């Protein structure tokens, strides 16, 4: 699938100015919602647009916004900053059966700059996911079950790490944000549910009931 986004038109100076505004506002920023063009642009690769102190403060602030939401990932464009930076963490208590079926294991907090992903193997799995920038909705998304992530740590160290299961889903969702892609672009649209319908009907560990009830991903 080709989902090419236009590069951001934000200069380094404008990125720095936007980050300063957010850091000095004195309140946590609101999360940008779908329809805002910043979510549809290729974010600028990080190349030292911020001082080390500013980058550290921004990561801390994104961590706080993600916790408050609550969510398991947040990308800088979701705060209106078109920069290739995202924070990820999954320490939520999850039902044991759900965790087993979805391959959901705790993901310790980390921040990634300039991530690049490639799938490992041909296995793909579909589960419901949501997005802090698409309030109130969830949809099933087929994604590679495992992927290799190359990224730069905030201290400038290049990193490579393999992820699978739910961790791989989170990493792919956040990397997509930095490339102007929303999960809905990859979703089975017939699976689309508002949160109340999802909770009432489709929150089982796997998506088999939802597939039958809503008519998506039919068996061939
Ligand atoms: Zn999202």
């Amino acid at each position: 699938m080709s989902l090419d986004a236009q590069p951001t038109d934000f200069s380094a100076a404008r990125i720095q100015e936007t980050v300063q505004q957010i850091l000095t506002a004195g309140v946590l920023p609101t999360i940008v919602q779908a329809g805002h063009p910043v979510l549809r642009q290729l974010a600028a690769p990080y190349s030292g647009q911020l001082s080390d102190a500013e980058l550290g403060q921004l990561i801390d602030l994104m961590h706080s916004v993600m916790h408050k939401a609550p969510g398991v990932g947040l990308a800088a464009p979701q705060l209106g900053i078109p920069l290739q930076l995202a924070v990820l963490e999954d320490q939520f208590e999850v039902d044991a059966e759900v965790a087993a079926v979805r391959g959901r294991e705790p993901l310790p907090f980390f921040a990634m700059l300039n991530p690049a992903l490639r799938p490992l193997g041909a296995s793909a799995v579909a589960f419901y996911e949501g997005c802090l920038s698409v309030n109130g909705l969830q949809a099933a998304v087929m994604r590679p079950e495992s992927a290799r992530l190359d990224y730069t740590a905030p201290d400038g160290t290049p990193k490579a790490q393999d992820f699978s299961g739910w961790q791989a889903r989170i990493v792919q969702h956040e990397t997509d944000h930095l490339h102007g892609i929303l999960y809905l672009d990859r979703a089975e649209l017939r699976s689309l549910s508002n949160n109340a319908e999802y909770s009432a009907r489709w929150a089982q560990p796997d998506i088999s009931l939802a597939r039958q009830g809503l008519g998506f991903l039919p068996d061939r």
Side-chain angles (χ1 to χ4, degrees):
M1 191 186 306
S2 175
L3 296 166
D4 293 337
Q6 293 296 314
T8 177
D9 57 0
F10 275 36
S11 63
R14 193 164 164 215
I15 286 173
Q16 214 262 351
E17 183 187 339
T18 303
V19 169
Q20 268 305 325
Q21 283 171 358
I22 289 172
L23 289 179
T24 58
V27 291
L28 287 183
T30 53
I31 297 174
V32 169
Q33 293 297 304
H36 192 302
V38 73
L39 295 174
R40 291 315 201 167
Q41 294 166 350
L42 175 62
Y46 185 73
S47 59
Q49 292 95 333
L50 307 175
S51 70
D52 288 352
E54 286 169 331
L55 180 61
Q57 288 168 29
L58 177 59
I59 289 169
D60 288 347
L61 180 120
M62 289 172 67
H63 195 176
S64 299
V65 173
M66 176 176 70
H67 268 211
K68 184 182 168 216
V72 294
L74 186 74
Q78 294 181 276
L79 298 185
I81 307 163
L83 193 62
Q84 289 193 25
L85 163 65
V87 297
L88 309 88
E89 182 178 31
D90 184 6
Q91 311 272 14
F92 289 98
E93 291 279 334
V94 183
D95 172 82
E97 190 190 355
V98 168
V101 170
R102 300 182 188 175
R104 187 164 177 173
E105 293 179 5
L107 178 65
F109 177 80
F110 75 105
M112 61 182 187
L113 296 162
N114 306 341
L117 272 174
R118 67 182 170 85
L120 296 174
S123 178
V125 284
F127 289 107
Y128 269 89
E129 60 185 79
C131 178
L132 298 176
S133 292
V134 186
N135 273 341
L137 296 172
Q138 301 189 47
V141 186
M142 182 81 81
R143 293 190 185 272
E145 191 169 21
S146 302
R148 173 156 301 163
L149 176 72
D150 289 293
Y151 68 101
T152 304
D155 67 1
T157 312
K159 303 265 191 185
Q161 193 175 345
D162 294 348
F163 293 92
S164 63
W166 207 256
Q167 295 185 350
R169 183 168 295 270
I170 298 168
V171 167
Q172 291 174 73
H173 180 118
E174 298 310 322
T175 299
D176 276 350
H177 269 304
L178 305 180
H179 298 154
I181 297 167
L182 294 175
Y183 82 100
L184 291 172
D185 300 339
R186 304 189 188 280
E188 301 298 324
L189 282 183
R190 291 189 64 104
S191 72
L192 191 67
S193 297
N194 88 356
N195 284 347
E197 292 294 344
Y198 173 80
S199 296
R201 300 173 191 278
W202 313 125
Q204 304 85 26
D206 71 18
I207 61 166
S208 53
L209 269 186
R211 285 172 58 192
Q212 293 163 19
L214 298 175
F216 63 94
L217 292 175
D219 286 322
R220 270 180 268 209

